[in-house]
Amino acid sequence: MDFPRPKTQPVIRPMTEADIPRLAEIRPGFVSATVLDVERLGSGIEAGWRLVERRLEQPFDKGTGYDFDPTEQRNILGRLRRGDGLHLVVEQAGRLVGVLDVVPENWNNTAWVWNLMLDHDVRRQGLGRDLFIRAVDWARRQGYRALVFETQSNNVPACRFYAAMGCELEGIRTAYYTNDDLARREVALFWIYRLT
């Protein structure tokens, strides 16, 4: 009788320079059936915005939009070489399946989370929560006042995750990626997790 082999448990470990080209093994795309549309309210110095969740006719599929291309690999390598951040990878069965990439923003005593991403195959196992908690613990030990995250209004799963982890939506930038982010329905959302 054949028994299924036990699945190898993911291991979270410090990132090394040798991991940088392997980041492309991670498939961090997402699919969302809804979008957080940004509606402008008012004008001038009394302008404001609100988010309205709307169902999409067809789910938004980021697919390979988050793949770790050579440019992103160089950026991560530069942050790793700075030596002042928290850089972890998640490895399972010899393949990288997750990354946490956090660096200090000393000018305002915060830490910026560049990447907290998991492969499709390892989601909903508590790894995202584990990486988040590691980032919080590290930032607290360093004495930072907050962690800052950026995501997009069409990445509703990430927005729900940050909200569930206790983050607050802090800001919206409607021209962060292009001059036409509102029309594209991909607007930058900034989340904060207060540490003090």
Side-chain angles (χ1 to χ4, degrees):
M1 174 181 251
D2 287 331
F3 293 98
R5 291 179 17 189
K7 192 174 184 179
T8 305
Q9 291 298 312
V11 174
I12 299 173
R13 61 171 177 78
M15 181 189 297
T16 68
E17 288 193 20
D19 292 321
I20 299 298
R22 295 185 57 211
L23 292 171
E25 297 170 9
I26 304 169
R27 298 165 304 173
F30 67 90
V31 175
S32 181
T34 61
V35 65
L36 297 172
D37 275 334
V38 177
E39 294 182 354
R40 186 179 299 267
L41 306 171
S43 62
I45 64 171
E46 294 184 1
W49 293 264
R50 73 177 185 154
L51 298 177
V52 179
E53 186 172 6
R54 292 198 171 97
R55 182 153 297 281
L56 295 166
E57 289 180 23
Q58 289 190 314
F60 178 82
D61 186 347
K62 189 68 169 185
T64 60
Y66 281 135
D67 288 353
F68 295 95
D69 64 19
T71 300
E72 185 58 20
Q73 289 179 30
R74 281 190 302 277
N75 293 338
I76 294 171
L77 179 61
R79 292 191 292 270
L80 178 65
R81 285 180 173 167
R82 280 177 40 178
D84 60 354
L86 176 64
H87 308 280
L88 303 174
V89 291
V90 183
E91 189 168 18
Q92 182 179 42
R95 183 168 79 86
L96 292 188
V97 294
V99 62
L100 176 65
D101 175 22
V102 187
V103 295
E105 296 268 318
N106 290 320
W107 71 273
N108 66 1
N109 197 33
T110 65
W112 180 270
V113 181
W114 281 95
N115 292 293
L116 192 167
M117 295 186 178
L118 293 173
D119 188 273
H120 300 125
D121 291 345
V122 296
R123 293 181 185 162
R124 303 234 177 253
Q125 298 177 25
L127 286 169
R129 179 176 297 274
D130 192 352
L131 291 174
F132 187 96
I133 290 168
R134 288 173 188 242
V136 167
D137 290 345
W138 172 83
R140 274 204 177 108
R141 284 193 310 273
Q142 302 303 313
Y144 296 115
R145 64 180 177 84
L147 285 170
V148 181
F149 305 81
E150 177 267 326
T151 192
Q152 305 79 36
S153 58
N154 55 12
N155 191 348
V156 177
C159 293
R160 289 191 191 287
F161 172 76
Y162 293 136
M165 295 306 296
C167 295
E168 301 169 34
L169 183 61
E170 183 188 44
I172 296 170
R173 283 193 59 190
T174 60
Y176 192 63
Y177 310 117
T178 73
N179 285 341
D180 203 18
D181 293 349
L182 285 173
R184 292 174 57 240
R185 298 175 99 176
E186 187 170 13
V187 173
L189 304 178
F190 295 88
W191 298 82
I192 189 167
Y193 185 85
R194 297 177 197 278
L195 299 166
T196 58

